[in-house]
Each structure stands twice: as C-alpha cells, then as structure tokens.
Amino acid sequence: MRTTRFALLVAGTALVFLGTRAYALAFSDVSEHSPYNPALAYLQEKHIVQGFSDGTARPDELLTRVEALKTILRSRERYAPQVLWFSENLPEIALFTDISQSDWYAPYIEVGFLEGVVTGYGDGTFHPGDSLTVEQALVMLHR
C-alpha cells in the first residue's frame, strides 16, 4: 500500500493534536470509516485545514510544499496575526523568484521564512507547487 505524504502529515498532526475522540464526517470524499476521517474532521474543526472549494479534502493526493506550510502555520495560533498582517502589508518584492506577491500563499511564505520554518533553495526559489517529501515535512515540523 502506497503511503502518501499527505497521509503522513495528517497522521503526524493528528498525533500531536488528536486524542481518542470521534468526530463527524468533515469532507465529502472521506467516508466516516476512513482512517483519515477523525484527523481531518478535527483539523477542520480547529480551522487548520479547510479543504477545497468543492468540499473535498483529497487525502490520496500528494501535499505540496506550500499546502504543508499553510497547514503547519495554521496549526499554531501564534502565527495568525503575522499571516493577517502580511495579507495586508506584503512587501513589493517576493522572497523567492518563483513566487508572486499576488499568489494566495504569499503571506504564508513571508511568515514561514520570517519564523525559520522554510528557507527555500540555494538558487533563490521555493518550488511551492512541488510535492512535499517526507524529509521536507520532517524539517518543517521540527522547525
């Protein structure tokens, strides 16, 4: 059975935040018997994950680097004021050459970099749409 990086991130977050409580079904593509259901429902209840606009979570798809960053930052309330501030006060120049300040995730990149959660690549890029590797997930969570 192939384990996705999304499943690893959800499982890791669930271990940190989830007790033995059961939760109601949160996403249309996650059955109540799915092993992802309790973790995803909890993360949605805490406003850490929102899912996609069509009401799905897509747990079998790989998580991108920027989706992981957003999830990690939203899991800690202390980052919320910074994300909000950057949402309204983005610098004119992006931190990375492959990021536009008009991208939905630009405030998360700013906060993640400021807080040392992410550093990007040596060539000045971030690769926001690349699939998250296990190693990257562990480094982000550790930081």
Side-chain angles (χ1 to χ4, degrees):
M1 183 168 115
R2 189 181 114 201
T3 303
T4 65
R5 287 168 186 87
F6 179 79
L8 290 173
L9 184 63
V10 168
T13 305
L15 290 174
V16 173
F17 295 106
L18 186 62
T20 57
R21 296 171 38 189
Y23 294 91
L25 182 62
F27 298 101
S28 63
D29 61 338
V30 181
S31 78
E32 67 180 285
H33 303 293
S34 168
Y36 304 124
N37 184 43
L40 285 169
Y42 176 82
L43 294 171
Q44 184 184 39
E45 176 185 304
K46 296 297 181 185
H47 305 288
I48 295 170
V49 298
Q50 298 167 299
F52 293 90
S53 61
D54 63 358
T56 62
R58 303 177 192 167
D60 293 321
E61 291 185 13
L62 297 176
L63 196 62
T64 66
R65 290 171 44 81
V66 76
E67 290 168 340
L69 175 61
K70 179 182 178 183
T71 302
I72 290 167
L73 293 179
R74 289 180 62 102
S75 72
R76 299 287 183 208
E77 289 181 22
R78 67 184 172 135
Y79 296 126
Q82 291 173 288
V83 171
L84 180 61
W85 189 87
F86 276 110
S87 295
E88 299 169 357
N89 302 284
L90 278 172
E92 290 184 29
I93 300 173
L95 289 167
F96 303 103
T97 58
D98 59 344
I99 303 294
S100 169
Q101 295 302 71
S102 63
D103 292 330
W104 66 264
Y105 50 79
Y108 294 98
I109 298 286
E110 295 284 340
V111 174
F113 184 81
L114 179 68
E115 293 294 330
V117 178
V118 294
T119 57
Y121 292 96
D123 65 356
T125 60
F126 183 74
H127 301 254
D130 284 2
S131 296
L132 183 71
T133 66
V134 173
E135 295 82 5
Q136 291 166 342
L138 292 173
V139 168
M140 290 171 135
L141 288 168
H142 175 71
R143 291 179 176 166

